[in-house]
Amino acid sequence: MSDTTKKAFTGADAASWAMKQINPDVVAAYPMTPQTAIVQNFARYVADGLVDTEYVTAESEHSVMSATIGAVAAGGRAMTATSSAGLALMAEMVGVASGLRLPMVMAVANRALSAPINIHGDHSDVYLVKDLGWIQVFSEDPQEVYENMIMAVRISEHPDIQLPVEVNQDGFITSHAVERVDVLEDATVQEFVGQKKLDKYLLDLEHPVTIGPLELQDYYFETQKQRNDAMFKAMEVIPQIEAEFSKITGKIYGWLEEYRMDDAEVAIVVMSSTAGTAKGVVDAMREQGKKVGLIKPRYIRPFPADALVASLKKVKRAAVMDRAISFGAEGGALFNELSSAMYQRDGQTHMQSILFGLGGRDITPADIEGIFQGLLDGDEQLIKYVGVRE
Amino acid sequence: MNSRQLAETENKSLVSGHRACAGCAFPVITRTILKSSKDPVVITNATGCQEVVSTIYPYTAWKSSFLHTAFENAGANISGIEACYQAWKRTGRIDQHINFVAFGGDGGTYDIGLQSLSGALERGHDFLYVCYDNEAYMNTGIQRSGATPFGADTTTSPAGKVRQGKSQKRKDLVKICAAHNIPYVAQASISNLMDLSRKAEKAFSIRGPKVLVVLSPCNPGWRTATDNMVELSQLAVDTCFWPLYEIEDGHKYTINLTPREKKPLTEWLKLQGRFKHLFKPGNEALLVEAQKQVDEQWEQLQAHAKMGV
């Protein structure tokens, strides 16, 4: 294990510190609450000469992603950050980045989409772009943000993947709450991420390249299949890169984290900061002899169906918690995808969809205990709102 | 560079095999500008005819590196490319000077791409932006844009029973760009090819953001013959509809050519099907209005140039 230094960091600090240590060629950024803290920190690193990065203060999020795309196509390593409306505005270019197979890392402090306008945390922004070909990883706390950011560079740039990675953290709840973060030495991070390996890039004057051609009925479909193939290739590559990083940090990562699942009868599936809250509830209910457990998915793209279903099959009943509504759908997006995966694998686990926490609405330990108790009591309600007034 | 040198310079950019219409001007514009660069070029292109006809996979007509991503973001794409170059230059990873060039049509520049262009100009990236202005959304089938002239019949400003084509004036892109106080903005035309080449050479000699706006006759959109793009360009200049001029540092105006005899606008309009309805009885006032707009623009331009700096 490598040496670390203790820092009192918010999730935003953790993301920007990782960016500083990665020292990319280009960062393009635009202020967007609650992500702004990330790019403000980074601007300070630029102003103080702590990085070699060219910092592009774009005039919109659409231009942020367009400039990041330009920088990566040129041959550079480029990073950015956004939230909510910013992610929605850049959505067109989010799909272009993965469609052109341009590796990059974007920190996202997840925040509710308008309308009504709301600056607080939920997952409606990331759910909007989850099918646009980015690897989607979620972070429970600032420590996980930091580590995911560093691993994301290697995952994204792996020659068999070449897809952008979005590193998610909960807006304000994680991005603005201070926790202890153990950070690695700059040299350790630099050695782990290494130099970007270049193949075809615009600044290679000896080998000019056309990037972003028009593909019609004869080629477009194959290109899309290749993008999807790369996602599934990531299923093989991500565990390898995580294992390599584990040697540095001594931690275990994986598609999901199981918490007290070994003899659990019921489980909650929930991502990001809420998993932290739920762990406390699991401990408290275990004290009362109730066999409850937690599954925290770390990735939803690629979707680790085998790993999630294998974990879910350990319990009789499970509640899948989505911090966003897919309006008009039968339950949350993660719930639906998991239900489908469960059905395809002949799983018998009874599944319930929980919709919670929109626009930063608090999710309390009592709320989570209520969900567990419902599962233990055989609650048959398919879709349940938690924490909303009727 | 003289015309012979221009002709003999190796074409490193848009080569034959592209599928632009016969009589389309932007291949001439593109080649002339890029041949005027002594240094290697890296190109980005807003979505539009130019990109569509030149990069149909698995073929490309571009001999220099080329990036296309979307319609509204050529300014931002070139910003990112140039930013990477600057980072590499600073850290010693690259030494060769490169001219970064963004191309966009009028839709991608006057309208949907104006914000990203403005941002790139304000941030001061070292690049040349070229707007090939064919005065409507030609790639999607001739819809009016902010560059479409008053009175033009397009598919979204059709001449009908109660409306007679576009009822608004054109946007003044040159002035909008100049208002960013950038080093160099110029308007050019392929009828004056060496003026265009000189402007490109001048632009490439200056560090910082530069803009060239070039008239690009479009025979399907203007409903003209396929053999007269030079004549159409010349008449646009001679009528002062499309004066050749440049603005340095946001305020130094220079008119590059004052026609010996300013021809009536109708000389230009009458060659184009998109203005045919203006010559119908009852539409005389529209022709008067179109001429008035050109006269006012020319007078203003002369007044600016007379003031010098």
Side-chain angles (χ1 to χ4, degrees):
Chain A
M1 268 166 54
S2 296
D3 290 343
T4 56
T5 309
K6 291 182 190 56
K7 297 272 186 190
F9 269 175
T10 63
D13 294 335
S16 52
W17 192 264
M19 288 165 75
K20 177 182 86 75
Q21 295 184 309
I22 291 159
N23 192 17
D25 296 305
V26 175
V27 166
Y30 187 82
M32 175 60 68
T33 305
Q35 162 281 126
T36 313
I38 300 173
V39 300
Q40 274 178 191
N41 285 347
F42 198 83
R44 172 61 60 189
Y45 304 143
V46 173
D48 290 341
L50 300 176
V51 287
D52 299 312
T53 308
E54 194 71 16
Y55 189 66
V56 181
T57 49
E59 81 297 334
S60 76
E61 300 278 358
H62 194 282
S63 285
V64 161
M65 187 43 62
S66 299
T68 310
I69 285 168
V72 176
R77 181 177 272 161
M79 304 179 81
T80 186
T82 193
S83 289
S84 182
L87 190 56
L89 180 61
M90 68 167 69
E92 179 194 19
M93 304 315 298
V94 167
V96 170
S98 59
L100 295 181
R101 306 292 297 279
L102 298 172
M104 61 179 73
V105 176
M106 174 161 65
V108 175
N110 300 126
R111 165 186 153 184
L113 290 177
S114 292
I117 189 168
N118 174 296
I119 59 167
H120 292 285
D122 75 27
H123 290 169
S124 52
D125 56 2
V126 54
Y127 278 16
L128 175 75
V129 301
K130 72 177 165 50
D131 293 328
L132 294 180
W134 285 54
I135 290 169
Q136 295 288 351
V137 59
F138 290 75
S139 321
E140 180 184 326
D141 54 25
Q143 184 71 48
E144 205 176 356
V145 169
Y146 175 72
E147 288 160 8
N148 282 339
M149 287 291 288
I150 295 165
M151 285 189 280
V153 175
R154 287 280 305 279
I155 294 165
S156 177
E157 292 176 6
H158 190 283
D160 294 339
I161 300 182
Q162 300 282 302
L163 286 173
V165 180
E166 180 172 320
V167 179
N168 296 282
Q169 59 175 293
D170 282 344
F172 286 113
I173 300 161
T174 306
S175 69
H176 284 62
V178 177
E179 291 193 37
R180 171 184 147 173
V181 177
D182 298 321
V183 301
L184 298 162
E185 301 294 318
D186 289 358
T188 310
V189 175
Q190 274 295 313
E191 195 187 338
F192 180 77
V193 298
Q195 281 278 324
K196 184 182 172 188
K197 288 180 192 67
L198 291 170
D199 182 12
K200 294 177 177 66
Y201 60 104
L202 299 173
L203 293 183
D204 183 1
L205 298 174
E206 300 301 311
H207 307 95
V209 59
T210 290
I211 300 176
L214 171 69
E215 287 187 3
L216 301 172
Q217 299 93 324
D218 48 357
Y219 284 98
Y220 178 87
F221 198 175
E222 282 74 18
T223 300
Q224 302 315 320
K225 181 177 176 295
Q226 285 170 5
R227 173 156 47 162
N228 204 28
D229 290 347
M231 270 285 174
F232 286 93
K233 190 77 189 169
M235 290 283 211
E236 297 164 32
V237 171
I238 288 172
Q240 294 164 14
I241 291 171
E242 288 189 343
E244 203 183 315
F245 198 57
S246 288
K247 287 181 195 151
I248 297 170
T249 62
K251 291 180 192 158
I252 293 164
Y253 302 97
W255 298 113
L256 53 94
E257 180 188 342
E258 287 188 338
Y259 191 74
R260 304 189 81 161
M261 281 293 292
D262 285 348
D263 62 342
E265 287 171 7
V266 301
I268 278 177
V269 180
V270 70
M271 299 190 293
S272 296
S273 66
T274 313
T277 314
K279 285 173 186 171
V281 177
V282 169
D283 288 343
M285 292 183 80
R286 285 278 180 170
E287 298 254 318
Q288 300 161 21
K290 294 175 178 169
K291 292 188 172 174
V292 298
L294 172 79
I295 300 166
K296 180 189 86 174
R298 279 177 29 83
Y299 289 86
I300 60 165
R301 288 292 179 275
F303 189 69
D306 286 334
L308 284 167
V309 171
S311 185
L312 271 173
K313 277 183 173 177
K314 295 175 181 175
V315 296
K316 293 192 194 83
R317 306 179 83 89
V320 183
M321 297 178 66
D322 281 280
R323 200 165 196 152
I325 297 177
S326 295
F327 298 101
E330 194 176 64
L334 181 61
F335 162 80
N336 271 302
E337 232 168 303
L338 267 178
S339 297
S340 165
M342 176 69 73
Y343 176 82
Q344 294 301 337
R345 286 159 183 78
D346 297 324
Q348 299 300 317
T349 307
H350 187 277
M351 312 268 280
Q352 181 179 47
S353 174
I354 304 288
L355 302 172
F356 79 103
L358 270 72
R361 175 66 53 89
D362 265 350
I363 178 87
T364 65
D367 291 332
I368 293 170
E369 190 177 347
I371 297 164
F372 273 130
Q373 198 55 55
L375 292 172
L376 291 167
D377 295 345
D379 182 1
E380 287 293 328
Q381 198 176 331
L382 178 66
I383 303 165
K384 218 169 161 175
Y385 290 91
V386 170
V388 71
R389 290 186 294 273
E390 289 302 325
Chain B
M1 195 181 284
N2 59 37
S3 56
R4 191 191 177 97
Q5 288 166 328
L6 181 65
E8 288 173 355
T9 301
E10 188 199 346
N11 179 13
K12 292 177 297 228
S13 58
L14 186 67
V15 297
S16 62
H18 64 75
R19 306 184 198 185
C21 303
C24 173
F26 71 64
V28 180
I29 295 168
T30 307
R31 283 198 303 271
T32 303
I33 289 171
L34 296 179
K35 276 185 167 192
S36 304
S37 169
K38 291 187 195 75
D39 294 309
V41 293
V42 171
I43 299 148
T44 191
N45 198 175
T47 306
C49 289
Q50 188 182 29
E51 160 266 331
V52 164
V53 304
S54 62
T55 67
I56 305 179
Y57 192 82
Y59 305 106
T60 180
W62 297 93
K63 281 179 83 176
S64 297
S65 278
F66 172 97
L67 173 69
H68 159 261
T69 68
F71 199 2
E72 66 278 51
N73 63 349
N77 275 161
I78 205 81
S79 298
I81 298 167
E82 191 261 1
C84 179
Y85 171 79
Q86 295 299 347
W88 282 17
K89 205 166 180 194
R90 199 170 49 241
T91 51
R93 289 180 67 186
I94 200 164
D95 188 39
Q96 168 74 51
H97 181 74
I98 298 172
N99 284 320
F100 296 97
V101 187
F103 287 96
D106 51 288
T109 309
Y110 285 71
D111 291 351
I112 199 166
L114 187 62
Q115 176 183 309
S116 75
L117 173 60
S118 174
L121 298 180
E122 183 269 332
R123 289 189 299 271
H125 296 279
D126 183 20
F127 75 111
L128 170 64
Y129 191 97
V130 179
C131 174
Y132 65 95
D133 184 351
N134 54 28
E135 304 199 308
Y137 290 87
M138 299 312 187
N139 189 45
T140 45
I142 319 163
Q143 290 80 34
R144 60 87 87 191
S145 77
T148 303
F150 174 80
D153 173 29
T154 73
T155 57
T156 52
S157 63
K161 286 181 182 146
V162 296
R163 295 190 186 193
Q164 299 299 318
K166 186 180 171 184
S167 56
Q168 300 87 7
K169 294 179 185 178
R170 298 172 62 235
K171 241 184 235 185
D172 192 334
L173 180 67
V174 174
K175 268 195 208 158
I176 291 168
C177 293
H180 291 74
N181 295 319
I182 58 172
Y184 190 64
V185 186
Q187 184 159 287
S189 162
I190 55 158
S191 54
N192 301 68
L193 205 62
M194 295 319 295
D195 177 73
L196 172 62
S197 173
R198 180 191 65 77
K199 284 171 174 164
E201 278 187 293
K202 185 169 176 176
F204 290 134
S205 75
I206 300 167
R207 298 284 70 83
K210 290 84 59 176
V211 178
L212 289 180
V213 186
V214 191
L215 188 67
S216 188
C218 166
N219 57 69
W222 292 13
R223 282 177 272 148
T224 55
T226 56
D227 62 353
N228 64 352
M229 65 173 165
V230 177
E231 184 189 359
L232 284 163
S233 297
Q234 188 68 60
L235 277 168
V237 173
D238 290 345
T239 56
C240 295
F241 172 83
W242 194 265
L244 305 181
Y245 71 109
E246 51 198 5
I247 308 174
E248 289 164 275
D249 300 324
H251 64 99
K252 281 179 263 177
Y253 281 67
T254 307
I255 296 174
N256 308 113
L257 186 138
T258 302
R260 243 168 275 153
E261 177 208 355
K262 179 167 169 264
K263 292 187 175 165
L265 183 66
T266 48
E267 297 291 303
W268 184 62
L269 299 180
K270 72 185 181 191
L271 296 177
Q272 305 175 52
R274 62 177 174 157
F275 297 117
K276 196 175 168 192
H277 59 288
L278 298 183
F279 293 92
K280 282 185 189 162
N283 281 344
E284 293 80 1
L286 297 175
L287 282 175
V288 171
E289 171 60 23
Q291 181 67 57
K292 184 168 152 267
Q293 287 179 18
V294 170
D295 292 346
E296 282 175 1
Q297 169 195 272
W298 178 236
E299 278 160 26
Q300 274 179 26
L301 183 58
Q302 285 177 306
H304 275 299
K306 205 171 283 176
M307 282 194 292
V309 291

